[in-house]
Amino acid sequence: MTLKQLHRRLIGRAGRWAAALHGAGDRLAQRRPLWMVSLAIDETNLSEGLRAACASSAMLLLGLLFDHPDFSWAAIGAFWTCLADAAGTRRMRFVSMLGFGLLSTVAGGLTALAAGHGVATAAIAVLLFSWAGALARIWGAATAQVAILAATACVVMVTHPLASMTQTAPFLGLYMFGCLFATVLSFTVWRIHPFGPSRRAIRAAYSRLAGIARDNARFLEHDAAQADAAAHGASYRSQARAALEAARVALAAVPPARAGRSALYDNLLLALSDAERIFAYLIAVTHTCEREQQRLRQDPRARRSLEVMAVLLRRLGQAVQRQPETPPLELQRRLAGCGRRLEAALGALLPLRLNVDFMELGLPRAAQLPWREAAFLALGQAWQTAKVNATPQSLSWRHAARVSLATTAGFLLVEALHIPFGYWATMATLLILQPSVSTTWPRGIERVAGSVLGAVLAVLIGLAVHTPLAISLVVFPLIVATMALRRVSYSLHVLFMTPAFVLVADYAAPASEMVYAMSRLGNNVLGCVLALLATFFLWPDREADDLDQRLAKAVSANLKYLLAVLAAGGKWDSAIARLRREAGLASNNAEQVLQRLRIERRLDRSSGVGLAALRTLPLLRRVAGSTARISLSPQAEPAPPELQRWITEVSGEIDALLRGDADAGAPGPCIADSLTPLQADAVAQVQLLRGLLREHVLAMENGAR
């Protein structure tokens, strides 16, 4: 069997495993209570997991063949190189993987040499390289990913002290061989299709849309409190908007040479256009379900239609990923039929139209420059960014200092106490520390949870696995799961990475798996504690408290969207789609700031705006739902000038209220006699929003007195 045939067979099995996993995710979601947030099961990438597992396990098998335990370092290098793979063009992927291999080899070698000359020089090396790895965040996500992994290699290699270059060369040669093997494997036998990232991103977007449909079905099935249901629905809509934005970016990243002459690209663009339209449709459906919950609970047709729609949307996403060159016309026909049945059950005119038009990405598409020009341009931009952030007042600079001091303190602590496998503590500190409390805290909790379960799994595996060959074979599925699930859940990623690293350590130096697992667990907890202490006591940077500005932008964007739809009378065009997207993004941004304030326990100190946002943002979602119903209804009519003028005046009043001006002029009531039911519904939502904000401003004034 040739390598190509083996690759195809593995990919085929990966597809079948993914289908089984997606089906399990569907069944799990149907049994899950309404309040739980779904895992992104459709973001599982088994192909990526198999590639990393093949690269790492091959190094372990070579070590077994040559009776050379140090090949475990080659396996670790191959695994880290796969982690450093930046999604995007082939050039971006090649630069990230090869750049990581070279950077981690040089920096790790210098750290190992420094460790050979004493703890003091080792601490200086850890300080410098962890600071550089954290500061690389200023150059973007891809650079930060490569740099922080290279810094991770340093804090691990510091435990392998080398006294001279004679000792360094063989050790680094094996490590670099693993990095190069993973890179070559990724660009020869296990190549990634140029449209692979965009296909996966669109599948993830359809999966999020399916989540909205399923969430509505559960909402009609359970008698949930209206406030809880609104918050939960907003969570699903926020995730769907983020997935659609990620798909836009992935499509815009396709090289012009590929996009300009490819029918496959056109099919993906049309699939994304349909996803945007389906998103607007589901927003309108959500609004109708909330308004008619009591009636619809007695009629199972709506719930069944929504459940079928969720399944069809998930299958549509899978079809786009697997066969993007063939439009899934049969699935689209069935989805349209399901939409007609749902329309009849809801008693609302909400036609679902697909294959209508192509979407405008609205993102700049840069020309593919030659290697030399692209390198000089990137270096120039990197230098300018570095100069801007080269000051202690820079948040990125302070974050890098925090990371380096905490990591170095962790290294000195484990050295002073002679804690076995202490590099796991410094590695946990390095990877957990984020720029703010609101991001460090959840990541630390996830890592501890994953490490606890991973340690238990490592002990259970260690009871049955003892020989190097058995270790090499068992590591394979563990690395598959580690890489495949890293975008699904950080806890699951750590859960499977823990036994994988424990077994690789056992491969290099056989010992008790119980000792390895418990050491890993204890050191991870220590690393989490150090990261949290550094977050709270070393220049504690919290997210900017700009909730008032975010809330004002969200309200303004949603009212602009409503006004444009009312003026157009339900006509769908690119301008309406753009305003709807801006309204959704503005609402998402405000909700994210609100969530961060809640995690940091600063909601009660946010100038009173936090309490208003808690009540206003769900109302904004209802305004968007009412607007979406008008935009999709074939019976929508252009609003009379009086209504448009009233919306404009109320928008100005609300803007003044958000600035704390209780004396803002209040326009008279809207004359609802000549309004259609859809227009009257929108007016009712706006009046609720207006009354809530005016009540809040008056309460704040009375409290100040």
Side-chain angles (χ1 to χ4, degrees), residues 205-239:
Y206 274 91
S207 173
R208 295 302 190 185
L209 295 176
I212 297 177
R214 189 178 298 107
D215 178 59
N216 278 306
R218 290 198 297 268
F219 175 69
L220 296 180
E221 183 179 7
H222 299 279
D223 189 13
Q226 192 74 12
D228 295 340
H232 192 254
S235 160
Y236 274 93
R237 284 161 65 172
S238 177
Q239 293 171 11

Side-chain angles (χ1 to χ4, degrees), residues 19 22 42 203 313-323:
H22 298 154
D42 273 295
R203 184 197 69 180
L313 285 170
R314 188 179 293 277
R315 290 180 181 174
L316 265 173
Q318 294 171 0
V320 169
Q321 185 191 16
R322 294 173 185 170
Q323 295 179 319

